[in-house]
Structures are given as structure tokens and as C-alpha cells.
Amino acid sequence: MSQEFQAPRGFHDIFGEDLKKFRHVSDTVRKILKSYNFEEIILPVVEFADLFERSIGEATDIVQKEMFVFEDKKGRRLALRPEGTAGAVRAYIQNRLFAERPYHRIFYEGPMFRHERPQAGRYRQFHQIGAEIFGADQPVADAEIIKISDEIVKALNVKARIEINSLGCKVCRPAYREALVGFLSGVSEKLCDVCKDRKERNPLRVLDCKVETCKEAVKEAPRTTDYLCEECERHYSEVKRLLDSLGVSYVENPHLVRGLDYYTRTVFEVVSEELGSAVIAGGRYDHLVEEFGGPSAPALGFAVGVERLALLVEVPKEEEPVYFLIPFGDVIPYALKVAEVLRAKGKTVELSLRKGNLRKQLDFANRRGFKYVVIVGEDEMKEGVITLKDMETGEQVRIRAEEVE
Ligand code: ATP
Ligand code: MG
């Protein structure tokens, strides 16, 4: 095929077995979110680029190298969304949802775009289901979103470990940042070139670097939890106490920082050992709504990586059998009528478009694994019946379509 008709690198068609897994993940997550009464919001795929630049942070990987930015006809800078929280916050403010009630639980689902180096579980278009709670500062909200993440991996039968941390707040983060900058200047020569650059501009990011030498170099870095102010300490302890009372297992990782700048206090990741990466990630962002011109509305949320989870799940066997309808002879209008009767009974019916004799049709049905074949020939039409064949037992009966159980 000529190069110009290939999908661009990192962009994928999702179909067949992969799509079944994708849908299984999506359906499961949506069901769990709905059981907590999260309301869906459909957000645009395109926003003004500076919405992301200002929220995610100028010195982050996403903004520095991963965003698809383009100009519209009036020269305005737009971006394909790399994540959902910034758009959700924009929508929360623009639609004045805060005026409706003191807090909101919402979720969104859809494609996200990041110009990353494609590899297993890392694409340039991928899908997230994200949930956000606006207007809640209580630790129980943090515990709730982490519990939901736990429910998601359990319902999908995926082995993963929950890592949590607290990044502190405007009061206590500066002291931590300073201690970290001091530490990083001592190990500077061991850091990768990118981290050498970000160790002052955005030192927390260094803790998130995936390069082995950097991971090694920061092993003894100061721990965020050693610098928490009294209120952050109390908040974090309460989150952990609630998780314990809910029976959610987690490990504390005092170097977990996440790749976006807007987080405060609780952050967490659900990490799959098998993939070597996170399948769900999130945290609290208490100032973002206000920084975007909204009211003071502490908030938090998480995003589920649908493709990554889909790589790890088994799809439950479909119980619904398919009826493969083979019209034979000059019977098409009658066959269509039969299909209609069966579908009205809730059956799934596929009309055969395979050409050839009955033998070929049955071989084809067999290869496709259909449980039932419905043969409609001229005799059947005359008598107003169908021949229903059970492909597993080979049993065959002539009955009226209305009589199919
Ligand atoms: P990573 O550290 O793996 O790059 P991230 O911190 O950039 O992840 P988030 O921005 O927190 O990821 O996004 C939340 C989730 O979305 C991730 O945990 C992951 O499951 C999924 N995700 C992120 N980037 C990609 C991608 N390029 N392709 C597929 N899934 C992704
Ligand atoms: Mg990333």
C-alpha cells in the first residue's frame, strides 16, 4: 500500500478481539463510576493550547514535546487535548457548574493525543476515562477515588499495585523543593541531559524520569512526606486511615510526583508490574479551578488508560449466540422477513452474503463458529417455515420463525 494511505505512526485502528477488550474495560469503568453517581460530560477534543500550557505546566514533557499544536485560520493556537482534566476544569467554570451545587462528580471518556515515541502501551492517540470531583477538600474524596481505582482493577481481574503519596501544599512544598534542588545539585553528574536542565526549572520532574541512571541517582532523594505541614500531614493520614478501613491495599512511595504540575497533596498511581507502567493515575489539584478564574474549588480526579488495561484483560465469553441466515434460491424478501421476526425476539441475526452452494455456506458458518444456522429455501418459503440447524449437535428442525425459543 502506498505510504500516504497508512495511518500515521502511533495512531491505530481498534477492532476485533482488541476492540472487545477495549469495550470490556470501558463498560466496566463506566458501570463503576455510575454506581458512585458520577455524571458524564462530553468534552471537545480541541482546546486553546495555552489551557494545557498553563495547567499542565510549561516545564513538563507533555507541554515541551508531546502536544499536537496547530493554528486555526485566524492564527489562534489550538491543541489536540493531551489529557482531560484541563478541559474538564474549563467546562466546570465556563458552564458555571459551581453555581448549581457545592460539589460535582463528573466523568468523561475519549481520545487523547501525545506526540510520544510509540511502543507497547504507548500511542500517539490513546483513550482515557477520567473522573473528577470538584468542590471537595475532604480526605474522604481522595479515599473514594483511590477506592474506585481499586474496584476497577479488581473488576477487570488485573494485577496491579496502588502507590500513593502526598506532595504537600503551597505552604510546605517550597521547603521540599529547596531540599530537593540541594540534593540534585549533589548528584548532578549522574543525571541525564534532560534532568540536568530540569533540576532547577522543575526539580520534582526529575523524580519521574524513566532513565535508569536517573532512577538510581534519586534513590536517596528527600521524601515529600518528611516536609508536610501539619494540615497536609493530617489530610494524608486520614486518607490512609480511610483506605485501611475500606480494605484497599496500597504502598506509600514518597518519591511519587506524577508528570503534571497542577497536583497538590494526594497523588496516586495504579501500576502494573506486567506492563511496567501505570494503568490509572491521578491526584488532587486544589488551586486549578481558581487559577483559571473560577471560584475556590478544591478538586481531584484520575484517568484510566483504556488501551493499557485492555492489554491485561480477558474478555468474558459472549453468551449471545448468533443466527446465521442462509437464503437459498429466489427467497430474499422472505428471508428478510424471517430475520426481522428473529430480531424482534431479541436474537442476533447475520444474513449470509457468501455466494455458493449450501455445502460452502455451511462450511463458512462452521469456520465462523456460529451456533445456529437458519436455512431458508423455496420449500421453506412455501410452507412459511425455516430450517434451524444447531451447529454444535448437528440437530435440525423445521419450525416457524415465531417458534424459535
Ligand atoms: P507515563 O508515565 O506512562 O508516560 P503519564 O504519567 O504520562 O504516564 P497520565 O498523564 O497520568 O500518564 O495519564 C493517565 C494514564 O493514561 C496513564 O496511567 C496511562 O495508563 C495512560 N497513558 C498516558 N499516556 C499514554 C500513551 N501515550 N499511550 C497509552 N496510554 C497512555
Ligand atoms: Mg507520559
Side-chain angles (χ1 to χ4, degrees), residues 316-386:
K317 264 235 148 314
E318 268 171 54
E319 297 300 328
E320 273 304 299
V322 176
Y323 289 72
F324 187 61
L325 176 61
I326 305 175
F328 205 64
D330 189 11
V331 297
I332 294 294
Y334 178 64
L336 293 178
K337 197 84 214 147
V338 165
E340 214 172 305
V341 171
L342 294 176
R343 290 197 190 104
K345 286 173 143 301
K347 310 294 186 198
T348 300
V349 184
E350 178 177 325
L351 175 72
S352 175
L353 298 174
R354 170 83 166 90
K355 294 172 183 162
N357 63 27
L358 195 57
R359 187 71 261 145
K360 280 188 179 154
Q361 299 264 6
L362 288 170
D363 280 352
F364 180 70
N366 227 348
R367 275 203 309 280
R368 296 272 309 274
F370 292 121
K371 167 118 171 72
Y372 294 111
V373 162
V374 176
I375 302 165
V376 176
E378 281 162 16
D379 288 353
E380 279 88 352
M381 181 170 72
K382 264 182 226 136
E383 287 169 42
V385 296
I386 61 172

Side-chain angles (χ1 to χ4, degrees), residues 114 116 121-123 126 128 210 258 278-281 303 305 308:
R114 294 185 194 178
E116 302 201 64
R122 194 176 291 285
Y123 317 105
F126 61 97
Q128 288 185 340
K210 309 282 191 296
R258 313 274 309 102
V279 289
I280 304 176
R308 285 202 192 160

Side-chain angles (χ1 to χ4, degrees), residues 2 33 44 111 118 134 153 192 195 244 272 276 281 300-301 308 311-312 322 326 352 356 364-367 369 385:
S2 83
L33 287 173
F134 292 111
V153 287
C192 72
C195 284
D244 293 338
S272 155
L300 65 166
R308 285 202 192 160
L311 288 170
L312 300 170
V322 176
I326 305 175
S352 175
F364 180 70
N366 227 348
R367 275 203 309 280
V385 296

Side-chain angles (χ1 to χ4, degrees), residues 2-17:
S2 83
Q3 195 61 29
E4 85 188 278
F5 293 124
Q6 304 263 330
R9 208 161 111 81
F11 290 80
H12 294 279
D13 306 306
I14 309 171
F15 60 97
E17 280 306 305

